[in-house]
Amino acid sequence: MEKFKQKFLQHLPSGRESNANKHRHLNANPAGVRRSTSNGSTLMGRQASEESGPWGLKQLFPGIDPTLDIVAVHGLNGHRDKTWTYSNESGGDDIMWLRDLLPEKIPRARVWTWGYDSRTHTRSHREYLTTKKLYDHGKELVFDLDGARRESNSHQRPIIFIAHSLGGIVVKNALLHSDRVKEGKLEDQRSIKLSTYGVVFMGTPHQGGQGVGMGKILVNIAKVQGDANDSLLKHLEEHSELLQQQISEFSLISQSFDIKFAYETKPTSLVGGIASKVIVPKWSAVISGMPDAAEFGINADHRSMTKFPSADNEDFQKLSRTLEFMLQKSGPKIEANWAAEAHMKQAAVLNSWKNSKNPRRIFMVPFERDLKFVGRMDIIAKLDQKFNSQRRVALAGIGGVGKSQIAIEYCYIFRDKHPDASIFWVHVGTISKFKQGYEAIAGNLGLVKKNDPKADTLQLVAAWLNNEDNGDWLMILDNADDQTVFESRSENSEQSTSLVRYLPSGSQKGSIIITTRDKRVGERLTSREEPLMVSSFDGHMARKLLRSKLNQNIEWIEKDADDLVEALDCLPLAITQAAAFITENNITAEKYTKALRASDSGLTKLLNQDLIDLRRDFDAKSSVIRTWQVSFDQIQDQTPRAAELLSLMAVLDRQGIPKALLSRDDEDEIDIIANLGTLQAFSLISSDKEKEIFEMHRLVQLSTLKWLEMQNTKLNWQNEALRLLSANFPCENRFETWKICALYLPHVMIVIDRLRLGPDHVNHLGLLANTASYLSDSQGQYKLAEQFVRQALELYKKAHGDEHFDTLKSMRILGQILYGQGKYSDAKGLLQKVWILSKRTLGEKHGFTLSTIYHLTNVLICQGKYEEAKEMLEQNVKLQSELMGEEHENTLADMENLTQTYIYLHQHDKAEKLGVEVLEKRERVLGAEHPHTLLSMNNLAITYQDLNRLDQAEKLEVQALEKREKVLGAEHPDTLSSMANLGLTYWSLNRLDEAEELQVQALEKREKVLGAEHPDTLRSMANLGLTYWSLNRLDEAEKLEVQALEKCEKVLGAEHPNTLSSMANLGSTYWSLNRLDEAEELHVQALEKYEKVLGAEHPTTLLSMSNLGSTYHALNRLDEAEKLEVQALEKREKVLGAEHPDTLWSMAGLGLTYYALNRLDEAEKLEMQALEKREKVLGAEHPDTLWSMAGLGLTYYALNRLDEAEELQVQTLEKYKKLLGAEHPTTLLSMSNLGSTYHALNRLDEAEELEVQALEKREKVLGAEHPNTLSSMANLGSTYHALNRLDEAEKLQVQALEKREKVLGAEHPNTLRSMANLGSTYCALNRLDEAEELQVQALEKREKVLGAEHPNTLSSMSNLAWIWNYQGHIEKAISLISDVVRRSETVLGVDNPVFKKRQRWLSEWREESLHNAGKLS
């Protein structure tokens, strides 16, 4: 339930503008000195001329009895010296810390810096710009450093590299190069890797990640220094994949070094200083998971992290301490490296002698190396680690994931590292292939003579592999998917023996890699060691693979590549096939992706393409689908129940498949676990930790469906899925079953979508109806729910007729859904039909019949038929209590609806009592977070709203909103109701910004979830308009309210309470916009219809009456206003009570009308009562209280009790500023009124100051022609008149008069006030004819509009009398002022100061007339 709020129209008039009735008397810093070096800097290696750049080795410090070489390498756009130099801008010496600071800390280190051509920017030397690969720079570093160290006979001395930025990649590649040079002319360069103790990487980008590719990081680095050479940047991005691969290879040798990672902590200002960014983030600068590696932050940006101003610098101390610790450990470690190297060389000589009889090493890998191999270096590194402790390692994963490709790459890496080792490749998919592979090995090794039928090749090869004298070897057993191959018996051996016995196990020199789709086979062949699981790529690596496989002529668009690899689930085989198809057909990635996503059949067709891949087994299928169908066939042959489970899962949603749905009633738990385990072992499905929920790879599902189609069993499995879901989906839509429903819902959606339901499925139609009920109640998905239940209803009617229970149940669910959609007329008709039919077929007291009444009264309440709903519910509550019990949910549901009717009928005591009872019972019976409990909490809060107990309402609504978001979700219709109701409470508390925020959210989400014309959406629209109205954003308010009214009339009907509220609120906005005729028209209509629909004394009717009275007031039809306001006050006191906020509004509004009628004593009495009660009920700073305070201040002003007026108005202004802000229209009105009081107190300077502020702010906030702006203009003109600044007064008063005639009309009271005041100014300027003309007009119109005895009419008569007096028409003046005095006595009373003043004028003028007459005689 949610209330539809309506506006109170109460306006605070501006202070009375002065009617001037005054008598008028006629008669320089020094340059810094660079410090020279004294420690013998020399250039080593390649000599660098100034023309070619500062490249090669440069010795900065020779070391004192050196035991360590420190080599510093700069990065991209770096410099051999400047990268490491702190530039002292204050005029002192620059600090090159490697030369000036480090030797004092580590005197036994020889310090070098090495430079290379790394320029990318185009400011100068364009001809030297390079795109040389960083690997080549690494080789040059090795060459230079090895040569320099051999010249000084120090080639076995430990080395520590310090590398900044891209210099770290150069150092990595240098060490990789040094590691690879095992023999030949470059063998001496191996000394660099052997002698390197450690590396300190400073801001080096080791990896891309977090959505940022390696290439992007490289380009960021390149651009830091300035404009970059486009060709190099393109090279960096295009080749970043190869670079990433080279860097990944470093992980294979990194354990040989002591690694330190330093990362920047501050962003670097980019060129131009417009923006800044961290160039190499920590996640790129630090390789996570590297054993024993340390990391530390440098409190600097990317450029300055290598520059230290002094030895006291904290970052320098951190780095120098790190280097000292490394120095202490370096000697023994490097000595051990060289000793091991000498031992290896001796062993190599010995092996060479041993193998002299058969020196040829065998390399039997039937595939060329993939020069574009991407990623997987982590798995290759893990293979090396595994081989340290075991001789066999399995690579397991789904077909097409790239297991064999990893094995191929490992073979070539192994050959590079172990050139003396033999490498064998054996296909073991079948027994015959196993034997063929061993025969090939035997032939290559020369173990058998050609075509020797007696030779037992299996035994001979196994024996050779087990003989350690034959040296190192590596064997790949590829496609070891079928355990039965290894359980088969050899036919050639003397005794029948399992083939697994021919796998070598006696040699410590050999290693075996097994690739398998079946994880269990891998475990069995490796003595139960855990296989290395190979999964699909992540998006980043998948894009790299795609790019490496595409022809270079194919246009590369990053977004298209992202879309394509996502559509293929990043599966390597699918990506490789896609790249081949794109290249062969010369299409774009975008076009291929569109074809994939066009339909499942299109995707299936593309995945079935069998394009040749030279790095796959020639007998294996290259298409994704055919690759997996091999696994499916094998599973069906060996474990038929697992194949059944796979078939069933294929026709369900691929995610969130519950084991409970798959298990047969008669199936043992062990059997289901084992069969699901088979599918998991083949990587076809995965599970959660508890093994209760399963998931199928998307492409696996499509391939399985294709397989089922080929077997003509797909329809059978879809029907089986429907049967299982019908049996398992809960029949009762209760909160307690929602979790189960949510689990099964995706599967229901898939099965129903793919399976055409007809008469043959009538036994399973309950699934449709039950799903529809769940969709509407728990998720608010009304349209989909309606589609489901209509389908069920149509088939039920055909099968059973209209009066069958299943038909009635479906019909009622449809009625509930239509109600949720706001289609109240349709819902009512359908539910009434169900009620009538169920009474006839089931009986009046049947539970189904009684619960149908609950749903029917929901609709009646929303139609505004509160009395009808109340009568039905009161009777139903009694019956439900008798039949079901007082705490049964059906009883509580009816009580809940009865509470709502009490709220709408403003029977608040009953509503609160019943609402509290229902909430307590539901909390006890259902729990604190049950949706029905939260509904009770929400409705009780609305009762508190209506009772103006807003703090209690807010507390409950906040709880309800939080719990509904948790239980139902952020966009459930009930959650949105809580959000909207809390927004209304904030509105009532005048917390308008919070109200707006919630109401905007509620409106947007309702439009999305429920649709633009749903009644709840229209309610949100209207209430947001109300908040805009309160914020004085009237144009926005009008726009929303016009839309809301039009749609309410269309959807709900012209007399629905919500339609009438929309009508009344739009009228109030017209009132605020001073479009009073339009406002009156709407308010009259609203009042008439409210009296008809709700009754004459309904609180909403009385609100409408009050607002129409305010409109009559604004139109100056004060007698009509008084009549309505008196009625509204009397009825509100009777219906709501004397202290209800609405009653106090009526009291204050009537006081305002008495004020306007100049019945000031009556006005004061009512305003005082309203103020006192508002302070008591609402508090001293509530907006309503301040409104009363301001109104009473105006009455004191009118009564000439100016000190009391000032006191109240000062308080009011201060509180309005605090509550509403300095520029709120109400604050400005209060400011204007205080200015009028200062004017009356003759404190004209203070009056002017306030009136100038008020005018400027009103022009800004309200606009130049707003009535309140014109009041400020007129008041300031009157003050200028009083200050005798008559020209300024005239200018403002002319403007005010012209604009009021235009905006308000020629006879509006305020227009007439402007006319009178301008006449007074003309009088003061002695322009008496113009003054007389205006005052005559003002008097005639005031008599017509206000009446002959209105105070303003009497003011016009007084002003005209004065003008005639000034013109010398003394008798006319006396006659007119005599009439004024006579009327003033009646209207104002003899004690009124204005009456006394006019009486004095009359006496003076008569004496003056007699005096003049005496002089004449």
Side-chain angles (χ1 to χ4, degrees):
M1 176 180 171
E2 180 187 332
K3 291 300 289 293
F4 199 118
K5 287 288 186 179
Q6 193 175 325
K7 302 167 186 171
F8 289 95
L9 275 189
Q10 299 289 355
H11 62 151
L12 189 63
S14 58
R16 298 183 178 185
E17 299 167 18
S18 342
N19 289 293
N21 291 317
K22 305 285 184 180
H23 284 282
R24 182 171 58 84
H25 298 279
L26 295 176
N27 297 347
N29 293 325
V33 179
R34 288 191 178 273
R35 176 168 55 187
S36 61
T37 180
S38 59
N39 47 15
S41 296
T42 58
L43 291 175
M44 300 293 291
R46 292 172 294 115
Q47 299 299 311
S49 67
E50 284 201 16
E51 184 180 9
S52 62
W55 303 331
L57 274 174
K58 179 180 180 181
Q59 181 178 292
L60 299 176
F61 179 67
I64 301 172
D65 297 326
T67 59
L68 174 72
D69 281 348
I70 294 177
V71 184
V73 181
H74 64 75
L76 213 58
N77 285 327
H79 189 280
R80 189 175 57 189
D81 297 320
K82 293 176 183 178
T83 291
W84 317 101
T85 301
Y86 173 81
S87 180
N88 196 331
E89 296 178 358
S90 62
D93 292 341
D94 291 347
I95 304 296
M96 207 282 196
W97 65 273
L98 289 167
R99 178 192 65 206
D100 302 331
L101 305 179
L102 191 61
E104 295 178 12
K105 291 283 186 179
I106 312 178
R108 299 194 66 187
R110 176 169 57 177
V111 183
W112 308 80
T113 180
W114 185 75
Y116 58 103
D117 185 3
S118 64
R119 292 169 298 172
T120 63
H121 51 83
T122 57
R123 293 175 183 171
S124 60
H125 300 295
R126 178 177 293 272
E127 63 274 26
Y128 294 117
L129 290 173
T130 177
T131 58
K132 181 178 286 188
K133 293 180 181 176
L134 294 172
Y135 186 78
D136 293 337
H137 288 312
K139 290 195 290 186
E140 290 166 359
L141 171 58
V142 170
F143 177 83
D144 288 353
L145 189 57
D146 178 63
R149 282 159 55 87
R150 289 189 183 278
E151 283 182 13
S152 58
N153 198 27
S154 57
H155 60 283
Q156 292 189 7
R157 182 183 296 167
I159 303 169
I160 295 176
F161 286 101
I162 301 173
H164 176 233
S165 190
L166 268 290
I169 295 177
V170 172
V171 169
K172 283 183 177 183
N173 285 318
L175 294 171
L176 279 171
H177 171 70
S178 177
D179 179 61
R180 287 169 180 158
V181 234
K182 301 285 197 302
E183 58 187 14
K185 295 180 181 178
L186 299 179
E187 185 179 0
D188 286 350
Q189 293 182 12
R190 183 167 167 76
S191 69
I192 301 302
K193 191 258 185 179
L194 290 170
S195 297
T196 297
Y197 171 76
V199 186
V200 179
F201 292 107
M202 302 184 73
T204 295
H206 297 286
Q207 56 201 343
Q210 298 193 7
V212 181
M214 184 68 174
K216 185 66 176 175
I217 297 175
L218 299 180
V219 170
N220 285 340
I221 293 171
K223 288 184 174 179
V224 166
Q225 302 291 346
D227 299 329
N229 173 14
D230 290 340
S231 62
L232 177 56
L233 298 189
K234 184 177 180 182
H235 173 84
L236 289 174
E237 286 215 88
E238 286 180 351
H239 294 273
S240 65
E241 296 167 9
L242 182 59
L243 185 60
Q244 182 74 58
Q245 182 178 334
Q246 291 171 344
I247 294 167
S248 298
E249 290 175 7
F250 179 73
S251 64
L252 301 175
I253 63 170
S254 61
Q255 63 268 24
S256 303
F257 313 117
D258 185 357
I259 304 293
K260 312 295 180 187
F261 299 114
Y263 56 89
E264 64 217 62
T265 61
K266 291 184 176 180
T268 301
S269 294
L270 303 181
V271 176
I274 298 173
S276 62
K277 62 165 38 175
V278 174
I279 301 302
V280 181
K282 181 181 176 182
W283 52 258
S284 182
V286 176
I287 301 177
S288 60
M290 182 172 284
D292 303 322
E295 61 184 67
F296 56 93
I298 299 289
N299 189 30
D301 63 21
H302 191 72
R303 286 197 201 97
S304 58
M305 69 186 302
T306 58
K307 300 171 171 60
F308 307 120
S310 70
D312 296 329
N313 179 268
E314 184 179 340
D315 289 323
F316 171 73
Q317 291 181 352
K318 197 184 299 181
L319 178 58
S320 61
R321 280 196 302 270
T322 299
L323 293 171
E324 287 181 77
F325 291 147
M326 294 172 78
L327 168 63
Q328 293 168 12
K329 298 178 182 179
S330 63
K333 172 68 168 61
I334 301 309
E335 188 176 334
N337 284 358
W338 281 99
E341 180 74 3
H343 178 75
M344 285 177 62
K345 285 186 176 180
Q346 290 174 0
V349 171
L350 181 61
N351 284 335
S352 177
W353 176 77
K354 282 183 179 180
N355 293 324
S356 58
K357 295 180 180 179
N358 185 17
R360 186 167 62 94
R361 298 290 88 191
I362 306 300
F363 185 76
M364 289 179 56
V365 178
F367 309 110
E368 292 183 1
R369 188 173 193 175
D370 185 357
L371 297 178
K372 296 179 179 180
F373 182 78
V374 169
R376 304 301 198 189
M377 300 310 294
D378 57 333
I379 295 179
I380 288 173
K382 287 176 183 176
L383 281 169
D384 278 341
Q385 292 171 8
K386 288 265 189 182
F387 282 136
N388 288 331
S389 58
Q390 62 192 79
R391 305 320 307 159
R392 300 180 188 178
V393 180
L395 296 176
I398 195 169
V401 81
K403 304 179 294 297
S404 299
Q405 306 306 309
I406 295 170
I408 294 168
E409 179 65 16
Y410 190 85
C411 287
Y412 283 94
I413 292 174
F414 188 88
R415 184 181 68 173
D416 290 344
K417 286 185 176 181
H418 308 281
D420 294 331
S422 293
I423 301 174
F424 309 107
W425 191 284
V426 181
H427 295 289
V428 292
T430 63
I431 297 170
S432 61
K433 283 193 172 185
F434 185 104
K435 292 178 177 179
Q436 288 170 13
Y438 265 46
E439 288 169 358
I441 294 173
N444 275 281
L445 291 174
L447 299 177
V448 293
K449 295 179 181 179
K450 192 172 182 180
N451 298 322
D452 183 356
K454 295 181 180 181
D456 188 346
T457 53
L458 296 176
Q459 182 60 48
L460 288 171
V461 171
W464 189 93
L465 294 171
N466 281 316
N467 186 351
E468 292 192 358
D469 290 340
N470 290 321
D472 295 329
W473 54 264
L474 171 69
M475 177 184 284
I476 311 299
L477 299 180
D478 193 26
N479 294 333
D481 305 326
D482 187 349
Q483 180 64 27
T484 60
V485 170
F486 300 97
E487 293 171 352
S488 299
R489 302 289 171 172
S490 168
E491 297 172 358
N492 294 334
S493 57
E494 293 181 1
Q495 295 180 348
S496 180
T497 306
S498 169
L499 292 182
V500 75
R501 301 290 297 274
Y502 297 108
L503 299 180
S505 58
S507 171
Q508 294 300 308
K509 295 289 187 76
S511 302
I512 300 176
I513 295 176
I514 301 152
T515 72
T516 179
R517 301 180 189 188
D518 188 343
K519 177 185 175 185
R520 296 172 305 177
V521 174
E523 290 173 343
R524 291 166 184 166
L525 295 180
T526 58
S527 302
R528 297 297 172 187
E529 294 288 346
E530 183 72 18
L532 288 175
M533 297 305 298
V534 183
S535 57
S536 293
F537 279 137
D538 61 20
H540 179 60
M541 294 306 298
R543 286 194 306 275
K544 287 184 176 182
L545 175 64
L546 177 63
R547 189 160 193 174
S548 71
K549 300 297 183 184
L550 281 177
N551 190 304
Q552 295 301 312
N553 295 328
I554 302 295
E555 182 183 12
W556 178 264
I557 298 174
E558 197 78 16
K559 181 182 180 303
D560 294 347
D562 286 342
D563 291 344
L564 175 54
V565 297
E566 180 187 352
L568 296 173
D569 289 343
C570 299
L571 184 74
L573 176 59
I575 293 169
T576 301
Q577 290 290 297
F581 188 89
I582 289 169
T583 299
E584 284 190 13
N585 294 281
N586 196 28
I587 62 172
T588 63
E590 180 187 22
K591 189 169 183 180
Y592 188 89
T593 306
K594 283 182 178 178
L596 282 177
R597 288 181 169 162
S599 65
D600 282 353
S601 61
L603 176 57
T604 303
K605 188 173 182 180
L606 287 169
L607 294 179
N608 215 14
Q609 293 285 327
D610 206 350
L611 302 175
I612 294 174
D613 186 343
L614 297 178
R615 271 172 292 279
R616 286 179 62 79
D617 182 356
F618 295 113
D619 293 331
K621 300 298 181 183
S622 291
S623 84
V624 175
I625 287 179
R626 295 182 188 180
T627 295
W628 287 338
Q629 284 175 358
V630 172
S631 298
F632 303 159
D633 291 336
Q634 181 181 329
I635 293 169
Q636 189 172 46
D637 289 341
Q638 297 176 2
T639 49
R641 176 57 181 147
E644 290 178 356
L645 292 171
L646 181 69
S647 302
L648 177 59
M649 295 169 86
V651 298
L652 299 171
D653 188 275
R654 69 181 188 86
Q655 295 177 314
I657 305 173
K659 188 173 76 175
L661 185 61
L662 304 173
S663 306
R664 292 174 178 163
D665 293 338
D666 59 348
E667 192 166 21
D668 289 338
E669 180 72 8
I670 294 299
D671 290 340
I672 188 72
I673 290 172
N675 285 303
L676 289 170
T678 297
L679 301 180
Q680 286 183 278
F682 275 85
S683 298
L684 297 174
I685 64 171
S686 58
S687 71
D688 62 357
K689 290 181 180 178
E690 289 75 26
K691 307 287 185 182
E692 293 296 324
I693 304 296
F694 294 85
E695 180 175 329
M696 178 180 270
H697 196 288
R698 173 170 165 269
L699 300 185
V700 172
Q701 185 182 50
L702 284 173
S703 298
T704 309
L705 288 171
K706 180 66 176 176
W707 182 63
L708 294 177
E709 286 175 4
M710 292 166 62
Q711 296 181 321
N712 293 317
T713 58
K714 180 179 173 182
L715 182 60
N716 295 340
W717 284 109
Q718 287 174 330
N719 282 318
E720 175 64 7
L722 178 65
R723 185 190 69 78
L724 289 170
L725 288 167
S726 298
N728 285 277
F729 197 92
C731 297
E732 292 187 30
N733 177 31
R734 294 182 289 109
F735 173 67
E736 292 76 14
T737 65
W738 282 4
K739 284 187 178 179
I740 301 172
C741 292
L743 192 59
Y744 288 136
L745 179 64
H747 309 296
V748 174
M749 303 292 286
I750 287 287
V751 171
I752 290 176
D753 180 58
R754 293 176 177 171
L755 189 63
R756 287 189 175 184
L757 298 183
D760 294 341
H761 301 101
V762 71
N763 293 331
H764 305 310
L765 294 179
L767 177 63
L768 280 174
N770 294 333
T771 303
S773 184
Y774 167 72
L775 284 169
S776 62
D777 287 1
S778 74
Q779 300 186 14
Q781 295 188 39
Y782 299 123
K783 290 182 180 178
L784 183 59
E786 180 182 356
Q787 177 186 330
F788 274 27
V789 78
R790 283 192 185 279
Q791 188 178 0
L793 182 58
E794 182 181 347
L795 291 170
Y796 272 139
K797 282 182 176 180
K798 288 179 180 179
H800 302 312
D802 281 4
E803 296 188 2
H804 190 276
F805 181 77
D806 288 340
T807 308
L808 292 177
K809 182 182 175 184
S810 295
M811 197 181 297
R812 192 175 78 177
I813 291 172
L814 178 56
Q816 294 170 242
I817 292 166
L818 293 172
Y819 158 76
Q821 291 176 299
K823 299 174 180 177
Y824 300 137
S825 296
D826 294 343
K828 179 184 175 185
L830 200 58
L831 291 169
Q832 280 182 326
K833 181 178 179 181
V834 174
W835 184 38
I836 293 166
L837 290 174
S838 63
K839 281 194 294 183
R840 184 165 70 231
T841 58
L842 302 173
E844 289 191 4
K845 293 186 177 182
H846 190 279
F848 183 83
T849 307
L850 296 178
S851 58
T852 300
I853 291 175
Y854 164 79
H855 297 295
L856 179 57
T857 55
N858 272 335
V859 179
L860 293 174
I861 290 169
C862 289
Q863 287 183 314
K865 297 177 180 179
Y866 307 131
E867 286 290 350
E868 185 181 350
K870 186 183 82 164
E871 290 177 10
M872 293 180 73
L873 286 164
E874 285 177 339
Q875 183 180 357
N876 219 42
V877 167
K878 289 180 183 178
L879 287 172
Q880 292 280 25
S881 298
E882 292 170 6
L883 295 170
M884 311 298 295
E886 291 186 353
E887 293 193 350
H888 190 276
E889 179 51 32
N890 288 0
T891 308
L892 297 178
D894 283 335
M895 291 170 69
E896 183 70 66
N897 271 6
L898 185 56
T899 303
Q900 292 191 42
T901 64
Y902 289 153
I903 292 172
Y904 280 115
L905 290 168
H906 283 264
Q907 297 176 19
H908 293 119
D909 292 339
K910 289 184 178 180
E912 181 181 7
K913 182 181 177 182
L914 196 58
V916 169
E917 182 184 349
V918 174
L919 177 57
E920 289 174 350
K921 287 181 177 177
R922 277 183 162 164
E923 284 180 335
R924 184 169 65 253
V925 175
L926 301 176
E929 293 188 348
H930 192 284
H932 294 175
T933 307
L934 301 181
L935 175 64
S936 296
M937 186 181 291
N938 180 75
N939 289 343
L940 182 57
I942 291 172
T943 304
Y944 289 149
Q945 265 189 22
D946 280 10
L947 289 168
N948 207 52
R949 287 149 60 180
L950 298 176
D951 291 337
Q952 289 173 276
E954 179 188 5
K955 183 179 178 182
L956 280 181
E957 284 162 349
V958 167
Q959 286 182 52
L961 176 57
E962 291 174 351
K963 290 179 179 178
R964 278 175 159 173
E965 284 179 335
K966 173 185 173 185
V967 174
L968 302 175
E971 294 189 348
H972 189 279
D974 290 357
T975 307
L976 302 182
S977 287
S978 282
M979 184 182 291
N981 280 336
L982 181 57
L984 285 176
T985 298
Y986 287 152
W987 178 85
S988 299
L989 287 164
N990 208 51
R991 288 152 60 180
L992 299 178
D993 291 336
E994 294 171 89
E996 179 189 4
E997 182 181 355
L998 281 181
Q999 288 169 343
V1000 167
Q1001 285 184 52
L1003 176 57
E1004 290 174 349
K1005 290 181 178 179
R1006 279 175 160 170
E1007 286 179 333
K1008 173 186 171 186
V1009 174
L1010 302 174
E1013 294 189 347
H1014 190 280
D1016 289 357
T1017 307
L1018 303 183
R1019 186 178 288 112
S1020 276
M1021 188 180 291
N1023 287 337
L1024 179 57
L1026 171 67
T1027 300
Y1028 287 152
W1029 179 81
S1030 299
L1031 288 164
N1032 206 53
R1033 288 153 59 180
L1034 300 177
D1035 291 337
E1036 294 172 87
E1038 179 190 4
K1039 182 179 178 182
L1040 277 180
E1041 288 163 352
V1042 166
Q1043 288 182 51
L1045 177 56
E1046 291 173 351
K1047 291 180 179 178
C1048 280
E1049 287 177 334
K1050 172 185 173 186
V1051 174
L1052 302 173
E1055 294 187 349
H1056 189 280
N1058 288 3
T1059 306
L1060 302 183
S1061 290
S1062 284
M1063 183 183 293
N1065 281 347
L1066 180 57
S1068 299
T1069 298
Y1070 287 152
W1071 183 92
S1072 298
L1073 288 164
N1074 208 51
R1075 289 154 59 179
L1076 299 175
D1077 292 336
E1078 295 170 90
E1080 179 190 5
E1081 181 183 354
L1082 285 178
H1083 283 310
V1084 166
Q1085 286 184 55
L1087 178 57
E1088 291 173 351
K1089 291 179 179 179
Y1090 272 134
E1091 286 177 334
K1092 174 184 173 185
V1093 174
L1094 299 179
E1097 293 189 350
H1098 190 281
T1100 306
T1101 307
L1102 300 182
L1103 174 57
S1104 190
M1105 183 183 291
S1106 177
N1107 285 346
L1108 180 57
S1110 293
T1111 304
Y1112 286 153
H1113 185 125
L1115 286 164
N1116 209 50
R1117 288 153 57 182
L1118 299 175
D1119 293 335
E1120 294 171 88
E1122 179 189 6
K1123 181 180 177 181
L1124 281 179
E1125 287 162 351
V1126 167
Q1127 286 183 55
L1129 177 57
E1130 290 173 351
K1131 290 181 179 179
R1132 278 175 162 167
E1133 285 178 334
K1134 172 186 172 185
V1135 174
L1136 301 175
E1139 293 188 349
H1140 191 279
D1142 291 8
T1143 307
L1144 300 183
W1145 269 115
S1146 281
M1147 188 179 290
L1150 182 57
L1152 178 61
T1153 299
Y1154 287 154
Y1155 167 91
L1157 287 165
N1158 210 48
R1159 291 154 59 182
L1160 299 178
D1161 292 335
E1162 293 171 271
E1164 179 188 6
K1165 181 180 177 182
L1166 279 179
E1167 287 162 351
M1168 182 65 77
Q1169 285 182 52
L1171 176 58
E1172 289 172 351
K1173 290 180 178 179
R1174 278 174 161 169
E1175 285 179 335
K1176 172 186 172 185
V1177 174
L1178 302 174
E1181 294 192 355
H1182 191 278
D1184 293 0
T1185 307
L1186 299 184
W1187 193 96
S1188 281
M1189 190 181 288
L1192 183 58
L1194 285 175
T1195 300
Y1196 287 153
Y1197 171 94
L1199 288 167
N1200 209 42
R1201 289 154 60 180
L1202 298 178
D1203 291 336
E1204 294 171 271
E1206 178 191 5
E1207 182 182 355
L1208 279 180
Q1209 288 170 342
V1210 167
Q1211 288 181 51
T1212 306
L1213 178 57
E1214 289 173 353
K1215 290 180 178 179
Y1216 271 137
K1217 282 181 177 177
K1218 177 183 174 183
L1219 182 67
L1220 302 177
E1223 294 190 349
H1224 191 278
T1226 305
T1227 307
L1228 300 181
L1229 180 57
S1230 190
M1231 182 185 291
S1232 178
N1233 288 345
L1234 180 58
S1236 294
T1237 301
Y1238 286 153
H1239 183 118
L1241 286 165
N1242 208 41
R1243 288 153 59 180
L1244 298 177
D1245 291 336
E1246 293 171 88
E1248 179 189 6
E1249 182 181 354
L1250 282 182
E1251 287 162 353
V1252 166
Q1253 285 184 52
L1255 176 58
E1256 290 175 349
K1257 290 180 178 177
R1258 279 175 160 172
E1259 285 179 333
K1260 173 186 171 186
V1261 175
L1262 302 175
E1265 294 188 347
H1266 190 278
N1268 289 0
T1269 307
L1270 302 182
S1271 290
S1272 281
M1273 187 181 289
N1275 283 342
L1276 183 56
S1278 295
T1279 298
Y1280 286 153
H1281 180 116
L1283 287 165
N1284 209 41
R1285 288 153 59 180
L1286 299 176
D1287 291 337
E1288 294 171 87
E1290 178 192 5
K1291 181 179 178 182
L1292 281 179
Q1293 288 168 344
V1294 167
Q1295 286 183 53
L1297 176 57
E1298 291 174 349
K1299 290 182 178 178
R1300 277 176 160 168
E1301 286 177 334
K1302 172 186 173 186
V1303 174
L1304 303 176
E1307 295 186 348
H1308 191 279
N1310 288 352
T1311 307
L1312 303 181
R1313 182 178 288 115
S1314 281
M1315 189 179 289
N1317 284 346
L1318 180 57
S1320 296
T1321 299
Y1322 285 155
C1323 182
L1325 287 165
N1326 209 34
R1327 290 154 58 181
L1328 299 178
D1329 292 340
E1330 294 171 88
E1332 180 185 13
E1333 182 182 354
L1334 280 179
Q1335 294 292 7
V1336 167
Q1337 286 184 54
L1339 176 56
E1340 290 173 351
K1341 290 180 179 178
R1342 276 176 162 169
E1343 285 179 332
K1344 173 185 173 185
V1345 174
L1346 303 175
E1349 294 189 350
H1350 191 279
N1352 289 359
T1353 306
L1354 300 181
S1355 291
S1356 282
M1357 293 172 69
S1358 295
N1359 287 341
L1360 183 56
W1362 270 105
I1363 292 170
W1364 286 343
N1365 189 1
Y1366 292 147
Q1367 290 175 327
H1369 307 312
I1370 189 66
E1371 296 305 325
K1372 283 174 65 178
I1374 290 171
S1375 175
L1376 187 56
I1377 201 68
S1378 295
D1379 196 10
V1380 172
V1381 169
R1382 179 178 57 78
R1383 296 184 191 182
S1384 297
E1385 183 178 0
T1386 303
V1387 175
L1388 303 177
V1390 296
D1391 294 326
N1392 187 279
V1394 176
F1395 166 75
K1396 291 179 179 179
K1397 183 167 56 176
R1398 288 169 177 167
Q1399 193 177 45
R1400 188 177 69 251
W1401 293 342
L1402 176 59
S1403 176
E1404 289 173 356
W1405 290 0
R1406 282 174 174 167
E1407 288 178 11
E1408 185 181 349
S1409 177
L1410 290 173
H1411 178 70
N1412 291 338
K1415 287 177 67 176
L1416 290 172
S1417 63

